[in-house]
């Protein structure tokens, strides 16, 4: 009686662990746990076009021509 | 077993687990004729190797120094078997020893993820549980005695031998306690913890049921080692003292009488015989430095000194004679069977394992979060190994597969830590990636400036639109 029940319990648990292993996603490949968290990268915000000379203060090409 | 065989084709790693099950539980010894006539162990051994060769990642399968030592030990065992003093007896033992050793050499190559390491340990513990729970329940029910506790199998050999199962049951307790806290396959819940603690209790009952002195010594060592790992040491000491005080009255008289013989070992026939065998082994090894092959003890002829002093101080001289007594000690077993070189390799394999686990334990002792499990597992494996090293001083279990599974797990775990965890360990001399990049940029930038001078006005005029924007769009 004790023998049978203990064997049944052990085999039930062995089966349970076997199923858990069978279904485990990380059994064959170790998941990469770098510990770093990356912020989401979004498309860069488009800057409005600036006109040379008027908004930037840069001399227009040819402005120094006599 | 049939179930594991079927699912093994989907996940070949399960063949490894099945081999461990076959090796520890020995279903062919429990079952009737059909299974006992099939070489189950060899089939799973081959299946696990083929499964690994076909399916698994082999990038981390470089042999470690301990695997090389195991290969050397295997070769030495093969050589001593060929030159054995008793060839038939040596071949009989070689039949199962080579499998255990080849598997120990192979297994670390398959243990490259945390889940695999845990899975193997879980299988080992549950297989031990199939014997320990029976023994524990029968001990509680009142059955037991040295060599008489019925552990399902009639013959007192292999893992089912009283002293062997006592040593390995206690050896499993640190691993059981680890599983109760850190397992990811069976997450710690109230039921899981209840089962693990009940199993640990059943393992503690095994040495009481089998009435082995080896087991008692292993329990004492285990209690001492767990004290090192305990966070609240005074509480732990209090609980231990309470268990001892409350438990002793419930121990059977035959058990306490047998344990008393630890003090009066000179008068005890079993202990005196062991000392005589050990003396014989030292003499034998000095004459045969390369050992006498497996089961070399068959050739011993012993003169056993069992003299003792009576209460009034009279010395009673008793001399016994015996023939073909086994070593009863793994160290002397190695010395007698494999010679000095074998003993050296055996000690190297085990002591390096214990040392490496101590290094890992200390390095990651204060780690928390994802790596919190590393130091406790290293500690549990080390404790199990140390308990074995004490237990094997009284039983000839140098080649028992269970300890080679633990050695293999240690090698696999050590490699896992070096590969996946070490990167994150604190290292004051480590150069961070971003620092390296900054240094590289600093080195690269000056030539860029000289190579690409600011364009002249004429060039700009040619390449850029006359009335454009700053960005060129």
């Amino acid at each position: 009686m004790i023998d049978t029940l203990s064997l049944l319990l052990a085999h039930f648990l062995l089966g349970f662990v076997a199923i858990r292993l069978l279904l485990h996603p990380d059994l064959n490949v170790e998941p990469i746990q770098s510990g770093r968290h990356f912020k989401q990268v979004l498309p860069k915000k488009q800057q409005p076009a600036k006109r040379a000379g008027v908004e930037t203060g840069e001399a227009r090409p040819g402005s120094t021509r006599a | 077993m049939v179930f594991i065989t079927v699912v093994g084709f989907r996940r070949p790693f399960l063949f490894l687990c099945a081999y461990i099950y076959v090796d520890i539980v020995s279903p062919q010894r429990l079952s009737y004729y059909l299974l006992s006539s099939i070489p189950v162990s060899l089939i799973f051994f081959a299946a696990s190797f083929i499964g690994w060769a076909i399916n698994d990642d082999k990038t981390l399968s470089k042999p470690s120094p301990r695997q090389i030592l195991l290969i050397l030990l295997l070769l030495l065992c093969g050589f001593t078997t060929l030159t054995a003093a008793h060839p038939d007896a040596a071949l009989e033992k070689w039949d199962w020893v080579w499998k255990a050793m080849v598997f120990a050499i192979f297994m670390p190559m398959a243990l490259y993820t945390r889940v695999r390491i845990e899975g193997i340990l879980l299988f080992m513990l549950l297989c031990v549980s199939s014997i320990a729970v029976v023994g524990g329940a029968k001990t509680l029910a009142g059955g037991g005695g040295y060599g008489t506790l019925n552990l399902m199998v009639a013959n007192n050999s292999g893992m089912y031998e009283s002293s062997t199962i006592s040593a390995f049951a206690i050896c499993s307790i640190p691993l059981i306690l680890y599983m109760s806290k850190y397992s990811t396959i069976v997450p710690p819940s109230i039921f899981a913890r209840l089962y693990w603690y009940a199993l640990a209790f059943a393992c503690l009952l095994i040495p009481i049921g089998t009435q082995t002195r080896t087991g008692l010594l292993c329990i004492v060592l285990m209690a001492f080692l767990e004290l090192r790992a305990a966070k609240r040491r005074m509480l732990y000491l209090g609980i231990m003292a309470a268990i001892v005080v409350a438990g002793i009255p419930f121990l059977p008289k035959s058990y306490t009488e047998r344990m008393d013989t630890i003090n009066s070992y000179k008068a005890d026939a079993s202990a005196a015989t062991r000392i005589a065998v050990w003396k014989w082994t030292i003499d034998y090894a000095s004459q045969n430095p390369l050992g006498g092959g497996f089961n070399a003890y068959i050739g011993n002829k012993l003169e056993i000194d069992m003299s003792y002093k009576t209460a009034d101080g009279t010395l009673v001289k008793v001399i016994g004679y015996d023939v073909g007594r086994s070593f009863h000690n793994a160290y002397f077993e190695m010395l007698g069977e494999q010679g000095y070189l074998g003993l050296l390799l055996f000690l190297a394999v085990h002591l390096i394992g214990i040392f490496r686990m101590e290094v890992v334990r200390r390095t990651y002792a204060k780690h928390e979060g994802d790596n919190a499990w590393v130091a406790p597992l290293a500690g549990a494996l080390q404790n199990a190994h140390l308990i074995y090293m004490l237990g094997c001083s009284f039983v000839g279990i140098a080649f028992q597969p269970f300890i080679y599974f633990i050695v293999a797990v240690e090698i696999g775990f050590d490699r896992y830590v070096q590969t996946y965890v070490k990167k994150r360990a604190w290292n004051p001399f480590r150069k961070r990636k971003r620092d390296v990049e900054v240094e590289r940029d600093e080195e690269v930038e000056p030539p860029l400036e000289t190579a690409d001078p600011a364009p002249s006005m004429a060039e700009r005029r040619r390449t850029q639109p006359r009335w454009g924007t700053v960005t060129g769009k």
Side-chain angles (χ1 to χ4, degrees), chain B residues 30-311:
Chain B
L30 296 173
S31 72
Y32 296 103
Y33 302 105
L34 181 65
L35 199 58
S36 52
S37 60
I38 303 170
V40 196
S41 170
L42 194 64
I43 291 169
F44 280 114
F45 179 81
S48 50
F49 186 78
I50 294 166
W52 171 79
I54 293 171
N55 181 59
D56 287 358
D57 181 11
K58 284 167 275 294
T59 49
L60 295 174
S61 52
K62 244 187 349 183
S64 71
R66 260 174 296 166
Q67 279 169 296
I68 293 167
L69 288 177
L70 283 170
I71 292 170
L72 290 177
L73 186 57
L74 178 68
L75 292 175
L76 180 68
C77 290
F79 170 73
T80 56
T81 308
L82 290 174
T83 58
H86 306 277
D88 293 339
L91 269 175
E92 196 183 313
K93 190 169 173 182
W94 168 255
D95 266 355
W96 58 269
V97 167
W98 77 265
K99 259 187 283 177
M101 294 202 66
V102 170
F103 201 74
I105 295 162
F106 156 68
M107 204 161 91
M109 296 194 274
L111 301 180
Y112 54 84
T113 63
R114 182 185 175 183
V115 177
R116 286 180 171 228
I117 294 169
E118 257 186 34
I120 285 288
L121 284 174
L122 273 172
F123 255 80
M124 283 164 62
L125 295 177
L126 291 174
C127 289
V128 168
S129 86
S130 71
I131 309 171
V133 170
V134 173
K138 284 183 180 172
T139 305
L140 273 184
Y146 184 69
T148 57
L149 181 70
N150 185 357
L151 296 168
M152 297 181 290
V153 171
N155 61 345
N156 196 20
S157 65
M159 270 295 271
Y160 291 90
E161 197 270 322
S162 303
S163 299
T164 309
I165 188 63
S166 297
F168 285 128
I170 302 304
C171 185
S172 307
I173 293 177
L175 295 168
I176 292 170
L177 296 178
Y178 166 81
M179 284 298 165
S180 70
K181 283 183 193 164
Y182 297 99
S183 174
T184 51
I185 298 170
V186 184
S189 61
I190 185 141
F191 293 112
R193 283 200 170 192
L194 263 177
Y195 176 76
W196 289 125
Y197 292 143
L199 180 58
F201 182 62
C203 287
L204 273 177
L205 286 177
I206 289 284
I208 296 166
T210 52
Q211 300 194 352
T212 49
R213 290 165 290 194
T214 315
L216 180 69
L217 293 173
C218 288
I219 290 175
V220 172
L221 179 65
M222 193 265 301
F224 176 73
L225 290 172
E226 286 302 316
L227 176 66
R228 192 181 59 157
K231 280 182 187 168
R232 295 173 190 167
R233 289 184 180 157
M234 292 313 288
L235 180 69
Y236 175 82
L237 280 173
I239 291 171
M240 280 294 156
I243 289 173
V244 170
V245 171
I248 284 176
F250 293 100
L251 292 173
K253 200 181 169 202
S254 57
Y255 179 78
T256 45
E257 279 172 359
R258 188 164 164 78
M259 294 309 120
D260 284 342
T261 59
I262 293 175
N263 295 325
S264 56
Y265 66 94
K266 278 196 171 177
D268 181 57
S270 168
T273 311
R274 285 172 196 214
I275 292 166
V277 174
W278 298 344
K279 279 180 186 165
W280 174 86
T281 313
I282 292 168
D283 292 342
Y284 185 78
S286 60
Q287 289 159 15
N288 304 283
L290 282 173
F294 290 124
N295 293 333
Y297 69 87
I298 293 173
N300 63 28
K301 285 172 187 153
L302 308 171
E303 198 172 278
I304 305 155
D305 180 17
M306 288 190 291
S307 306
Y308 63 95
K309 269 188 181 174
T310 55

Side-chain angles (χ1 to χ4, degrees), chain B residues 316-328:
Chain B
V316 180
K317 202 156 177 70
V318 181
I319 301 286
Y321 296 93
D322 209 338
V323 176
R325 289 304 294 255
S326 61
F327 294 107
H328 285 294

Side-chain angles (χ1 to χ4, degrees), chain B residues 388-403:
Chain B
Y388 164 79
M389 295 300 269
L390 175 70
C392 78
S393 316
F394 306 99
V395 208
I397 47 175
F399 291 102
Q400 264 297 317
F402 191 85
I403 192 59

Side-chain angles (χ1 to χ4, degrees), chain A residues 2-3 6-7 10-11 13-14 17 19-22 24 26-28 30 33 50 56 58 60-61, chain B residues 3 11 21 112-116 123 126 130 134 137-138 152 185 195 416 420 424 460 467 469-470:
Chain A
I2 292 174
D3 292 356
S6 323
L7 268 179
H11 282 78
L13 292 170
L14 282 167
V17 171
I19 291 172
R20 295 277 299 180
L21 282 174
L22 178 74
H24 210 292
D26 302 331
L27 180 69
N28 291 337
E30 182 66 19
Q33 297 170 336
K50 288 179 178 177
T56 62
E58 188 192 340
R60 286 178 184 171
Chain B
F3 169 72
R11 297 274 196 172
Y21 166 77
Y112 54 84
T113 63
R114 182 185 175 183
V115 177
R116 286 180 171 228
F123 255 80
L126 291 174
S130 71
V134 173
K138 284 183 180 172
M152 297 181 290
I185 298 170
Y195 176 76
Y416 173 90
Y420 295 105
R424 278 168 277 161
R460 281 185 62 193
W467 293 98
T469 59
V470 171

